Amino acid sequence: MDSDPMTIGLEGMTAEEAAARFDELQQKLVPLWHSIESFNQDAQTIVVVPSMTLDRLPGGARLQAFEERFLFLLFLLGQPRAQLIYVTSQTILPSVIEYYLGLLPNVIPSHARGRLHLIAPLDGSPKPLSLKLLERPALLARIRALIPDPDRAHLVAYNTTFLERNLALRLGIPMFGTDPRFFSYGTKSGCRQLFKRAGVSYPLGFEDLTGVPELLDALAGMRAQKPDMKQAVVKINEGVSGSGNALVDLAALPAPGDPAERAALEERLRGMHFELASLNYDQYLERFAQHGGIVEERVGVGAHEIRSPSVQLRATPLGKVELLSTHDQMLGGPSGQSYLGCIFPADPGYAAAITREAAKVGALLAEAGVIGRFALDFVVTRDGPGDPWQTYAIEVNLRKGGTTHPFLTLQFLTGGVYDAETALFTAPGGRHKFLIATDHLASHAYRGFTPDDLFDLVVRHGLHFGQVGQTGIVFHMLPALGEVGRTGLTAVGNSPEEAREIYDRAVAAMNAEAAALWRELA
């Protein structure tokens, strides 16, 4: 197979020919857009390939769990003439499919199941799913044969690299996602450049760095501008969910410009704390040199309150930017920079403000030709309970992320709409809806559960999502239960308090029953 990342899987096609052909395919999204954006009676085929391309990709059950995280897209089968082809590395349990189809409102599950095609290369290796397909021409031919009309079909992926673009080319259908030639906009350096152009507030720092000398120059330059800075964050350009971040302590250093400052900064750099605990200093610098990165102030140190909200947007094939939702992110990890889950919607005290800032960046991306869903992460701070919130744009994620599946699960199951000005989501019956979701519900004891055990648990405890009240629990990432004791869930309520209560009840029930399982084995 071709080793050039721009033409991998496209033997006999040059990079220029591939780019031109992809541009032609993407034009098909314009007449398709009405079908893509809303439930309707139009015939269409959606090919879902939740492939991830990361530096360190997990294999086995953990990879399968991430690929099944987007099974909420089965709710697109609520469109009676839609067909959906869902690809995963390994076979999905039939009971998991039944679980999701059983949640569909106003749909006969057997009718939806007849329009669903599940494809798996049966390859659990830690490689991107798109690459696994490109390596298997017969499987690609099978997928093509399942598409009745390529002019009424499109590809949906998790992130969009040249692998996903080339997969779209091999299937002969457009991709609802960002052309990988815009990849740089989603890097940490590219984000800072976008923020500057858009005129939004973002942390003091420097981008396009590749090694220690540049990092030391940047840190010295930042301290010269802000001598009382307490902490800085070094970020690898392509880090995901905080995994490429490292925290540098800048407290109690020699004064800016002091002859001893540079040696002291180098010592602090050597002692920086990595968000990905498995990394050491040399490994981190090797990745930093390979991908490049940034260093910026860690804003909010010492503030009365600090939060990490995000804004989700969509750039349509028609060049329009839509503001979809806001979330407050729940963060954890060694220095509180790893994504664990989210609360929807974001606090109304700053939701409208970050939405306005995000819209400025979204307009630039749409103008450049970006298509698909993307999100902007912010840090907001305030010095006292009655003080105004200060907002700082942190990064752009040109992909689906951890907040995508909870929000779309809620939207598909309730038919509700989010209002960006009021920061409220309203279902057709007039009720406001709220959710809490996590991808990191983990315990060694959960390894005793199967997915069917969890389905039984939520029914017995009255926590299963039901269409009458449109509240309850929806699970995701179920394959990781047996191997690593991890799953995810979305808790939907009619108030923030009810969503939290449902979430807490579900976690308490899981903990109690898991403990009982292991006591029986003791």
Side-chain angles (χ1 to χ4, degrees), residues 23 51 108 112 140 230 252 268 284 293 329 348 370 386 479 486 494:
D23 284 343
S51 180
I108 301 170
L140 286 177
K230 296 296 188 293
R268 295 296 176 85
Y284 185 85
Q329 299 182 92
V370 167
R486 174 178 168 182
N494 293 321

Side-chain angles (χ1 to χ4, degrees), residues 94-105:
S95 61
V96 172
I97 297 298
E98 292 171 7
Y99 170 69
Y100 280 95
L101 295 182
L103 291 167
L104 272 166

Side-chain angles (χ1 to χ4, degrees), residues 201-508:
S201 176
Y202 61 105
L204 173 65
F206 291 87
E207 58 271 9
D208 294 322
L209 311 177
T210 57
V212 171
E214 292 177 339
L215 280 168
L216 293 174
D217 289 343
L219 287 168
M222 291 161 62
R223 295 189 74 235
Q225 295 181 61
K226 193 170 183 179
D228 61 348
M229 189 183 305
K230 296 296 188 293
Q231 293 180 348
V233 186
V234 181
K235 299 180 179 180
I236 295 174
N237 268 334
E238 299 173 29
V240 175
S241 298
S243 63
N245 295 5
L247 191 63
V248 183
D249 179 17
L250 299 178
L253 285 171
D258 187 292
E261 180 191 20
R262 192 172 184 88
L265 284 173
E266 186 167 7
E267 183 180 352
R268 295 296 176 85
L269 201 61
R270 284 191 168 276
M272 59 186 170
H273 300 282
F274 307 109
E275 196 65 20
L276 191 61
S278 60
L279 287 178
N280 61 38
Y281 181 75
D282 291 333
Q283 291 170 333
Y284 185 85
L285 287 183
E286 182 181 348
R287 293 176 65 188
F288 193 87
Q290 179 183 358
H291 299 291
I294 69 171
V295 62
E296 61 188 18
E297 179 186 8
R298 189 178 191 190
V299 295
V301 177
H304 174 73
E305 282 186 89
I306 177 170
R307 299 184 191 173
S308 299
S310 68
V311 181
Q312 289 66 47
L313 308 94
R314 179 171 66 181
T316 76
L318 308 179
K320 180 183 176 184
V321 177
E322 298 175 346
L323 300 165
L324 302 177
S325 63
T326 60
H327 296 77
D328 280 316
Q329 299 182 92
M330 298 187 292
L331 303 179
S335 60
Q337 299 180 77
S338 297
Y339 178 83
L340 299 181
C342 65
I343 299 169
F344 168 82
D347 190 310
Y350 46 76
I354 60 173
T355 298
R356 288 191 293 270
E357 295 288 86
K360 299 174 187 176
V361 179
L364 289 179
L365 291 171
E367 182 182 336
V370 167
I371 293 174
R373 289 180 178 270
F374 55 92
L376 270 76
D377 291 343
F378 289 82
V379 169
V380 299
T381 68
R382 63 178 175 181
D383 296 327
D387 292 335
W389 291 96
Q390 303 297 315
T391 67
Y392 303 88
I394 298 295
E395 63 181 72
V396 176
N397 297 306
L398 288 182
R399 54 176 169 77
K400 295 174 178 63
T403 59
T404 304
H405 55 282
F407 174 72
L408 284 180
T409 295
L410 175 66
Q411 188 178 52
F412 287 152
L413 290 180
T414 66
V417 177
Y418 178 73
D419 185 286
E421 288 302 315
T422 62
L424 288 171
F425 181 94
T426 308
R431 280 183 169 175
H432 299 316
K433 295 292 178 179
F434 304 82
L435 68 79
I436 298 178
T438 182
D439 289 345
H440 292 263
L441 190 56
S443 168
H444 182 77
Y446 294 166
R447 294 186 303 112
F449 287 133
T450 67
D452 288 337
D453 291 330
L454 292 190
F455 303 154
D456 176 68
L457 182 152
V458 293
V459 170
R460 285 188 288 103
H461 288 269
L463 292 165
H464 179 60
F465 184 90
Q467 279 298 327
V468 176
Q470 294 189 325
T471 63
I473 293 293
V474 179
F475 285 109
H476 56 269
M477 298 185 72
L478 291 161
L481 273 170
E483 186 172 308
V484 295
R486 174 178 168 182
T487 190
L489 62 80
T490 299
V492 178
N494 293 321
S495 68
E497 295 77 18
E498 185 180 26
R500 169 59 68 181
E501 188 266 340
I502 291 171
Y503 179 94
D504 290 343
R505 280 175 56 207
V507 174

